[in-house]
Amino acid sequence: MKIRAIKLREVHKSENGESSFCSILWDQNGQHIVTASSSDNSICIHDALLPSNTPKILRNHREGVTALAISPNSTCLASGSVDHSVKLYKFPGGDFETNITRFTLPIRALSFNKSGTMLASAGDDEGIKLVNTVDGTIARVLKGHKGSVTSLAFDPKSEYLASLDSVGTVIFWELQSGNTIHVFKGIAPNNGSDVSVMNILGWSPDGEMLAVPGMKNDVVMYDRDTAERLFSLRGDHSQPISFLSWSPNGKYMATSSVDRQILIWDVDKKQDIERQKFNDSISCMAWKPHGNALAVIDVMGKYGLWETAVPSSMKSPTEDIPSLRSSGFILFDKEEEPGASGSLSDLNEDSHGESEPPSRKRLRKQSIYDDEWEEDELESTRKVESRKRPSNGHKNDLNNVKNGFKNTIATAGPKMQEAFQPGATPVQPGKRHFLCYNMLGSITTMEHDGYSHIEIDFHDTSTGPRIPAMTDYFGFTMAALNENGGVFANPGKGEKNMSTLMYRPFSTWANNSEWSMRFEDEEVRALALGSAWIAAVTSLNFLRIFTEGGLQRYVLSLDGPVVTAVGFKNELAVVTHASPSLPSDDQMLEFRVFNIHNGTQSLRGRLPLTPGSCLTWFGFSEEGLLSSFDSKGVLRVFTNQFGGSWIPLFSSSKLNKAGENCWVVGLNANKLFCIVCKSPESYPQATSKPVLTLLDLSFPLASSDLGADSLENEFMMNNMHLCQIQKRIEEMVSAGEYTTSLDDEAFNLEASLDRCILRLIASCCNGDKLVRATELVKLLSLEKSVKGAIKLVTALKLPNLAERFNNILEERLSSETVGKTVLPQMTSQSDGTTKAANAVDKSFMAPESSKTSNKGSSPTEALSSPSFFTKKGIVEEPFKNGNGKFEETRTTKLEKTVDVKNVGKLKDAKEVKTVEETKQIKDVDQVAFNRPSNPFAKSSSKQESSTLFDALKNMKKSDIKGKR
């Protein structure tokens, strides 16, 4: 049987590495997972559709949480703790409701009845409390156990309650009278004082059988009415069962054991069909209500999801579910009115959905309706005859309700990602959090006495203005920041508190420059700032553009709900949903880039994401490149390569340690700026200044047989940067701007690329990858680089390869010689030597973006083009002889381009063993860019060193003067 690994993620830390009892459960719709641990006082509500999102954390207990339960309609969450209290919360919001009851000792078990109106709670105390969740009254206390009660389960018909204690005693309780029907002592393992392992029992979904851990590392099934032993599930568990869970349709069961494995059982066939082993014992499990998945959590507080727990070739665990959960409504007789009662006789009635006050009467007629509805569902799947079989009088009426409920479940699809603001963190009551955090600065806010206190800080205090704090009367939840000002917005809160947009400039020549806009029947979902413009995207899918002074300039309709928006100078990028999410939970997103100054749309396309992930950050790099970061830790940058493509430049899975999350702030050409957060936190706290971490950008390369991944990454990075510079040169040439500074940068990149290629050639030779070395030499830009490669392979005693390299050099030189003679022949004989030299120089500079002494040089071509080979290595000046023919040109060679003197001194191939040992190929002189100590501070463009091309121009001028 194939064993598949499941990755578990730590969510609750255990104390001193000791085992704890941890709980996990799903809500009815399968959209949230709730976890807790007896060693942690927090409860985590996870987004099951977007698991990378930060969980909602509830910290209302003073000590560890030992039990969880959720009402059948998923509107109420209950928790029990070592602090002796049972608390209720709204779900999924997590708002604390009340302390529903208290005990004198720790709580161990909680369970809701079918309608959610009754909560059973028990623990180390004597007695099981049945609490009315409507008014908080204790309906009854059931006593009979001698040990700690570790499990409680209402039967699906709400007639019985089954309980199990730590010494292995099972009791059947009749809810109507509160009497015990059956008592079985010692049928389950005796766990003694080990609180990390709980005896657990569970009713089958059709209510016909009760599953109880057996004494032989098995699970024993008992009849619902007679309590007779039916059969057992016995397999490869070598130690006692620690948890069991029925699949939604009752066809399968999952069991975990102290032996640290989970078995999936086909209950009808009484055999295990799948298994999974773990590093630690699994403490709790829960089947997904709609889908083939099993959520698990171990005794160390790590949880995960076992996808396809039941083999796909078998019947789904959610197919043909025998009974529906409570739909949250009550059917009343038209002649009767609700009264005020909360007795135990009403435990099997639904109560949610009534418009009357909490204290009300549960009509006996409704009990009949409920039984009929359930019996209709159970009839086709029952395996054991029951002693009671009610009639089916109102079948047709209830089928309409049943079908409507099924249709509602069927139409519930994967969740679409909600809108977010890059650099913002979730609201934390009583704590400061970020409205915005970017490469320039941060905006923080904290609520106090009904108002919020907002502070704006710049990372580089020497350049950024000093902004006084402001009082927020609107409750802003998002903001954007640039050098000129900050924009704030809040969602609408009813008719009196409409959504508000406010812009605050940092410096202005006029008074009262701050302005605000209010929106009726729509809410601001995303904000962006640029050069003299402000953008807001609203819930009506409107993109609203404002000027810096507050003029409403444009209103556009977007194609789908917004996810996020960012601005950079004149460009605005907006991400929207292109379509509903796929059944695999993949988000279908689209991005659009607008040029606000020109009123045009420059880019549009689909936004790629890692499968199963969501977008967590979106923005521009310092160089203006559009970038995205998803919840799987993959950074992508949009480049002009291949007609415009997203390039993956970073993957946190290869760099981060386990339990660390990258919260992205920004990036430049070579570094990713992020804040590393320890799990389970996925965002930084604003109470103290976060520590910024700089990570190198790198392609997610496959493991090469060459063993030179760093060199291959450097090669690809330089190629990408050169492609970007070429694109910028094209744009500047088309705009009639000078390109001299970019030509310098392109030339330095080409020289750096040659050095990298030479080192790769050396690695290929050492690894006997000669074909790859031949491919690399064709990519060299400089003639001296190829000659250096020839000397290198000669020293490595590879004569055949040296001959191939020499042939490549000769072909390149001959093709260039033909190209060089074309332009001079077209020139008039009276032009003179200087004009001919300039003509040849231009022919060198036309194909590529390398160094040129002329302003406004032409755009570049690909590195592999053979026509630009010698122009960076030498500058040739042709001249005429007395016969008017062009003779051999005099060559002015670049100094310090690629020094290969030491290469010829190599005695044998053993002297070149690794990439590092080929560093006899000296570096090309280039500008040294020193980053300031503050990573956010900008380097001055005036502090540039002289480049190699400056030396080239000076030498060229001196040669021309000498000729004159």
Side-chain angles (χ1 to χ4, degrees):
M1 191 173 294
K2 185 179 179 181
I3 298 178
R4 296 163 292 174
I6 299 176
K7 185 178 180 181
L8 300 184
R9 176 183 179 185
E10 184 179 52
V11 64
H12 299 282
K13 293 184 178 180
S14 60
E15 295 180 355
N16 303 321
E18 296 181 356
S19 299
S20 305
F21 181 78
C22 301
S23 306
I24 192 168
L25 50 81
W26 288 88
D27 68 348
Q28 182 186 11
N29 299 321
Q31 296 182 355
H32 297 89
I33 296 176
V34 187
T35 60
S37 170
S38 60
S39 62
D40 187 3
N41 69 337
S42 64
I43 301 171
C44 295
I45 303 177
H46 308 266
D47 190 330
L49 302 180
L50 301 173
S52 58
N53 284 3
T54 304
K56 190 172 298 181
I57 301 177
L58 313 180
R59 291 192 176 94
N60 298 90
H61 285 289
R62 297 192 305 272
E63 298 184 59
V65 180
T66 52
L68 292 175
I70 193 167
S71 62
N73 60 2
S74 298
T75 60
C76 181
L77 175 68
S79 65
S81 169
V82 181
D83 63 11
H84 313 162
S85 66
V86 178
K87 301 179 185 294
L88 294 184
Y89 313 83
K90 290 182 178 179
F91 192 84
D95 298 329
F96 174 73
E97 284 290 294
T98 184
N99 288 312
I100 192 72
T101 189
R102 290 189 64 86
F103 286 75
T104 58
L105 293 173
I107 313 299
R108 302 296 177 189
L110 296 172
S111 179
F112 279 98
N113 69 340
K114 180 179 179 295
S115 64
T117 58
M118 192 65 58
L119 176 68
S121 55
D124 295 348
D125 281 32
E126 292 183 4
I128 303 169
K129 290 185 180 180
L130 302 181
V131 185
N132 192 325
T133 58
V134 177
D135 54 17
T137 58
I138 297 176
R140 193 181 298 277
V141 177
L142 308 176
K143 293 185 178 182
H145 283 284
K146 302 300 181 182
S148 298
V149 178
T150 58
S151 182
L152 297 168
F154 285 96
D155 89 275
K157 298 178 185 179
S158 295
E159 294 180 3
Y160 307 128
L161 173 71
S163 60
L164 174 60
D165 61 27
S166 59
V167 297
T169 300
V170 175
I171 300 180
F172 280 40
W173 307 85
E174 187 180 45
L175 293 175
Q176 185 73 21
S177 62
N179 298 327
T180 59
I181 301 177
H182 305 286
V183 178
F184 300 97
K185 295 182 179 181
I187 65 171
N190 187 337
N191 293 325
S193 60
D194 185 2
V195 295
S196 65
V197 178
M198 299 285 187
N199 277 334
I200 301 295
L201 48 72
W203 291 96
S204 61
D206 61 6
E208 291 301 319
M209 293 183 289
L210 179 69
V212 180
M215 300 296 292
K216 299 180 180 180
N217 306 330
D218 58 353
V219 177
V220 181
M221 303 295 176
Y222 294 89
D223 181 71
R224 159 195 173 81
D225 296 317
T226 65
E228 294 177 355
R229 176 172 175 151
L230 301 175
F231 59 89
S232 65
L233 303 177
R234 184 180 304 175
D236 291 338
H237 281 307
S238 59
Q239 296 189 52
I241 302 296
S242 58
F243 201 89
L244 58 86
S245 179
W246 287 91
S247 67
N249 62 0
K251 180 174 177 59
Y252 307 103
M253 173 178 286
T255 60
S256 64
S257 170
V258 183
D259 62 9
R260 299 182 298 180
Q261 67 174 334
I262 294 177
L263 298 183
I264 305 297
W265 300 83
D266 186 321
V267 177
D268 293 339
K269 296 181 180 179
K270 304 178 184 61
Q271 66 180 17
D272 58 300
I273 57 175
E274 190 62 285
R275 70 185 61 197
Q276 181 71 50
K277 293 185 178 181
F278 296 86
N279 294 328
D280 296 289
S281 176
I282 297 301
S283 179
C284 187
M285 302 175 292
W287 288 89
K288 188 175 183 180
H290 311 290
N292 186 4
L294 183 71
V296 301
I297 188 168
D298 65 17
V299 293
M300 305 307 292
K302 294 178 290 185
Y303 88 103
L305 196 62
W306 184 356
E307 300 283 359
T308 320
V310 174
S312 56
S313 60
M314 302 184 68
K315 186 176 182 180
S316 169
T318 56
E319 185 179 348
D320 297 332
I321 297 178
S323 64
L324 296 178
R325 302 176 190 268
S326 174
S327 59
F329 61 83
I330 277 211
L331 303 177
F332 286 101
D333 190 284
K334 294 181 180 180
E335 298 178 357
E336 297 183 78
E337 294 295 328
S341 176
S343 67
L344 269 175
S345 61
D346 306 318
L347 292 184
N348 58 345
E349 313 293 345
D350 289 342
S351 65
H352 293 270
E354 295 176 335
S355 59
E356 297 299 321
S359 296
R360 50 204 148 186
K361 183 178 180 179
R362 314 295 189 271
L363 300 184
R364 189 173 302 276
K365 189 174 183 178
Q366 169 60 21
S367 175
I368 299 174
Y369 285 174
D370 283 347
D371 287 343
E372 290 167 352
W373 187 2
E374 293 163 10
E375 288 300 319
D376 180 48
E377 289 292 315
L378 294 170
E379 189 171 8
S380 62
T381 58
R382 287 192 174 176
K383 302 292 185 291
V384 180
E385 287 294 326
S386 177
R387 62 186 178 187
K388 287 189 286 187
R389 191 75 69 164
S391 62
N392 233 355
H394 302 276
K395 177 177 179 179
N396 294 333
D397 294 337
L398 290 173
N399 273 342
N400 295 331
V401 179
K402 175 180 64 178
N403 293 334
F405 183 74
K406 285 186 176 179
N407 291 337
T408 303
I409 294 299
T411 57
K415 185 178 179 181
M416 295 172 65
Q417 180 177 357
E418 297 180 356
F420 72 94
Q421 190 69 24
T425 58
V427 177
Q428 297 175 282
K431 292 184 179 180
R432 184 175 298 277
H433 67 278
F434 291 109
L435 294 179
C436 175
Y437 193 104
N438 58 22
M439 297 288 284
L440 182 66
S442 64
I443 302 177
T444 59
T445 182
M446 183 173 68
E447 185 178 356
H448 181 69
D449 292 337
Y451 301 103
S452 296
H453 184 73
I454 293 179
E455 294 182 356
I456 303 175
D457 298 302
F458 290 90
H459 303 307
D460 191 353
T461 56
S462 62
T463 58
R466 189 177 184 87
I467 310 300
M470 58 180 284
T471 302
D472 171 21
Y473 297 97
F474 299 97
F476 294 129
T477 58
M478 66 191 79
L481 174 70
N482 67 5
E483 298 86 350
N484 302 321
V487 61
F488 306 84
N490 69 309
K493 297 180 180 180
E495 297 180 357
K496 296 183 179 180
N497 297 313
M498 292 186 292
S499 183
T500 303
L501 173 74
M502 187 185 79
Y503 177 70
R504 184 181 186 185
F506 295 148
S507 60
T508 179
W509 58 270
N511 295 326
N512 197 25
S513 297
E514 183 179 298
W515 53 267
S516 63
M517 299 282 173
R518 303 186 72 185
F519 303 94
E520 296 183 4
D521 301 325
E522 61 180 316
E523 296 182 357
V524 177
R525 296 288 173 82
L527 297 172
L529 274 177
S531 298
W533 56 264
I534 294 93
V537 188
T538 69
S539 56
L540 296 182
N541 299 341
F542 288 165
L543 171 60
R544 299 179 177 270
I545 310 295
F546 305 88
T547 65
E548 200 170 26
L551 176 65
Q552 302 189 55
R553 188 69 189 276
Y554 305 106
V555 180
L556 307 178
S557 279
L558 299 178
D559 295 340
V562 67
V563 177
T564 190
V566 291
F568 179 79
K569 296 182 179 179
N570 290 324
E571 291 189 325
L572 165 66
V574 181
V575 179
T576 60
H577 286 282
S579 66
S581 303
L582 298 179
S584 59
D585 290 341
D586 290 343
Q587 302 291 319
M588 304 300 293
L589 305 183
E590 180 184 57
F591 74 97
R592 300 170 69 179
V593 179
F594 303 92
N595 189 301
I596 305 301
H597 179 73
N598 299 331
T600 59
Q601 179 178 283
S602 55
L603 289 173
R604 180 171 184 172
R606 287 293 178 91
L607 182 67
L609 295 174
T610 306
S613 69
C614 61
L615 185 66
T616 58
W617 181 85
F618 193 71
F620 289 91
S621 69
E622 288 188 340
E623 294 75 24
L625 297 178
L626 197 60
S627 310
S628 70
F629 191 82
D630 63 34
S631 57
K632 299 290 187 180
V634 177
L635 173 74
R636 295 175 177 86
V637 175
F638 188 84
T639 71
N640 61 305
Q641 291 180 303
F642 298 97
S645 301
W646 288 91
I647 309 297
L649 284 184
F650 179 83
S651 179
S652 61
S653 61
K654 293 188 176 182
L655 294 178
N656 284 6
K657 298 179 182 178
E660 289 184 350
N661 302 308
C662 288
W663 193 78
V664 176
V665 176
L667 70 152
N668 60 17
N670 301 303
K671 300 286 184 180
L672 175 68
F673 295 74
C674 67
I675 298 169
V676 178
C677 304
K678 299 294 183 181
S679 182
E681 299 293 341
S682 59
Y683 56 88
Q685 301 294 324
T687 52
S688 59
K689 190 172 183 179
V691 178
L692 196 67
T693 302
L694 277 66
L695 301 175
D696 292 327
L697 298 182
S698 62
F699 288 89
L701 301 179
S703 298
S704 172
D705 55 0
L706 190 61
D709 294 352
S710 60
L711 284 177
E712 289 180 330
N713 181 74
E714 181 183 349
F715 167 72
M716 294 180 64
M717 291 288 289
N718 285 341
N719 261 328
M720 185 190 69
H721 292 157
L722 186 60
C723 185
Q724 294 167 2
I725 294 175
Q726 291 169 356
K727 179 66 174 178
R728 288 161 60 190
I729 290 177
E730 290 178 4
E731 294 173 351
M732 293 176 68
V733 169
S734 63
E737 301 176 358
Y738 295 143
T739 63
T740 304
S741 60
L742 286 181
D743 290 337
D744 295 345
E745 189 175 350
F747 179 72
N748 291 332
L749 268 176
E750 288 167 352
S752 177
L753 189 59
D754 270 13
R755 294 197 304 273
C756 179
I757 292 174
L758 285 171
R759 294 198 296 272
L760 276 172
I761 292 173
S763 296
C764 290
C765 293
N766 289 328
D768 198 25
K769 305 296 180 183
L770 303 186
V771 175
R772 201 176 306 176
T774 306
E775 294 172 341
L776 286 166
V777 79
K778 295 178 181 179
L779 300 178
L780 289 170
S781 303
L782 308 178
E783 177 186 356
K784 264 197 168 182
S785 299
V786 180
K787 291 180 178 179
I790 295 172
K791 291 182 180 181
L792 174 62
V793 297
T794 302
L796 294 173
K797 297 180 180 181
L798 298 171
N800 292 335
L801 190 61
E803 184 179 355
R804 285 184 176 274
F805 284 9
N806 194 61
N807 292 338
I808 292 172
L809 175 61
E810 291 177 356
E811 291 175 4
R812 190 81 65 86
L813 290 174
S814 62
S815 63
E816 289 179 359
T817 301
V818 175
K820 292 174 186 175
T821 58
V822 175
L823 284 176
Q825 291 174 358
M826 296 175 61
T827 359
S828 116
Q829 296 292 331
S830 59
D831 285 341
T833 306
T834 306
K835 292 184 178 180
N838 290 339
V840 177
D841 285 342
K842 290 180 181 178
S843 72
F844 291 151
M845 298 168 189
E848 283 300 309
S849 64
S850 296
K851 245 2 223 179
T852 172
S853 59
N854 300 325
K855 296 180 179 180
S857 62
S858 60
T860 64
E861 295 179 353
L863 256 177
S864 58
S865 174
S867 60
F868 73 91
F869 173 67
T870 60
K871 71 184 179 64
K872 295 101 179 174
I874 57 175
V875 175
E876 302 186 34
E877 298 173 325
F879 61 92
K880 298 177 183 178
N881 59 13
N883 298 327
K885 296 181 179 179
F886 280 87
E887 293 183 349
E888 189 71 25
T889 59
R890 179 166 55 86
T891 301
T892 303
K893 295 185 177 182
L894 288 180
E895 297 178 0
K896 299 181 181 179
T897 304
V898 179
D899 186 358
V900 294
K901 293 178 181 179
N902 293 332
V903 177
K905 297 179 182 180
L906 296 175
K907 299 298 182 180
D908 49 50
K910 293 182 179 179
E911 297 182 26
V912 185
K913 295 181 179 178
T914 62
V915 177
E916 288 74 11
E917 292 175 353
T918 64
K919 291 185 178 178
Q920 287 91 348
I921 302 169
K922 297 182 179 179
D923 294 341
V924 177
D925 292 344
Q926 56 184 358
V927 182
F929 296 96
N930 296 322
R931 174 169 287 282
S933 58
N934 184 350
F936 294 99
K938 307 288 184 181
S939 299
S940 174
S941 60
K942 297 179 180 179
Q943 299 175 353
E944 294 183 358
S945 305
S946 61
T947 65
L948 287 174
F949 197 67
D950 296 329
L952 172 62
K953 289 190 289 185
N954 294 333
M955 295 171 67
K956 179 178 172 183
K957 290 178 180 178
S958 63
D959 289 337
I960 294 176
K961 288 180 180 179
K963 291 175 62 177
R964 290 179 178 175

